[in-house]
Amino acid sequence: GSTIAGAETMAKCAKNITHVTLELGGNDAFILHKDGDVDLAVKETLWGRLYNTGQVCCASKRFLIHKDVKEEFERKLIEAIRKDYVVRMPSNPEAKIGCLISEDAAKRVEEQVLKTVNEDAQVIFGGRRKGAFFEPTILDNVTKDMEVAHDMEIFGPVVTVQTFKTEQEAIDMANNTPYGLAGAVFTSDISR
């Protein structure tokens, strides 16, 4: 649920000193440094973002990719989606990605993608809805001033790609949100 719903729930629980754990909205950052394993990052993107059709609160949603590996990351991600991610009814054993929870949910994802494109992001893969199905989608040229880069949580199979040059820039981009459920960092430098 939303932060507002969480605050209301916590307030009600506090009256009885009832223990509560809240999992609220998220806009989790996924950082791929130039020394990170691109193949592993692609594999984890497929599992972490497309699993359950992107309907996981703590799934990575903002993909912060070092400018030197962005092209390789996007190319390999598109190849992997084309090869393995067949969109079918969830009951079909061949399905790697199914429909969203409802057609309204898919329409909401479609609206969010269109809003982001209207802010000058570019669809480089997917981007179409059919009923409750929304194709795996990659949005490129996402910038830090776009709503999807900080407040908008797309709850569907959408990868939004932002680039960075320095470690500090990646940290600043990752922290550019009021949310904080999870995060991922791909680097070969453990001290990073």
Side-chain angles (χ1 to χ4, degrees), residues 98-119:
C99 57
L100 276 79
I101 192 71
S102 68
E103 187 170 359
D104 285 344
K107 285 178 181 177
R108 174 80 175 129
V109 170
E110 181 180 43
E111 290 167 5
Q112 292 171 313
V113 167
L114 290 174
K115 180 180 186 343
T116 306
V117 168
N118 287 335
E119 292 177 330

Side-chain angles (χ1 to χ4, degrees), residues 17 38 42 60-61 74 93 95 135 143 176 191:
I17 317 218
V38 175
V42 166
S60 297
K61 295 175 187 75
E74 289 178 336
E135 297 175 322
T143 60
N176 185 28
S191 66

Side-chain angles (χ1 to χ4, degrees), residues 51-65:
Y51 178 74
N52 278 344
T53 318
Q55 300 171 112
V56 177
C57 294
C58 59
S60 297
K61 295 175 187 75
R62 296 177 301 132
F63 290 77
L64 315 178
I65 311 297

Side-chain angles (χ1 to χ4, degrees), residues 33 66 164-171 173:
H33 286 277
H66 191 279
F164 66 90
K165 295 177 186 173
T166 68
E167 183 176 333
Q168 188 58 52
E169 186 180 8
I171 291 168
M173 291 164 71

Side-chain angles (χ1 to χ4, degrees), residues 76-179:
K76 288 182 174 184
L77 182 58
I78 290 169
E79 288 170 3
I81 293 170
R82 282 188 175 137
K83 179 182 176 208
D84 291 328
Y85 276 74
V86 179
V87 178
R88 300 278 189 273
M89 285 298 292
S91 58
N92 185 327
E94 293 180 18
K96 283 281 191 153
I97 189 165
C99 57
L100 276 79
I101 192 71
S102 68
E103 187 170 359
D104 285 344
K107 285 178 181 177
R108 174 80 175 129
V109 170
E110 181 180 43
E111 290 167 5
Q112 292 171 313
V113 167
L114 290 174
K115 180 180 186 343
T116 306
V117 168
N118 287 335
E119 292 177 330
D120 291 330
Q122 179 185 9
V123 176
I124 62 169
F125 188 83
R128 292 178 299 270
R129 179 186 67 82
K130 183 176 182 181
F133 290 86
F134 199 86
E135 297 175 322
T137 299
I138 303 170
L139 294 176
D140 196 6
N141 300 325
V142 173
T143 60
K144 65 182 177 182
D145 57 318
M146 294 178 183
E147 188 177 348
V148 75
H150 46 84
D151 290 334
M152 181 195 300
E153 177 186 17
I154 298 181
F155 212 59
V158 179
V159 173
T160 63
V161 178
Q162 294 177 259
T163 57
F164 66 90
K165 295 177 186 173
T166 68
E167 183 176 333
Q168 188 58 52
E169 186 180 8
I171 291 168
D172 292 344
M173 291 164 71
N175 288 330
N176 185 28
T177 181
Y179 302 110

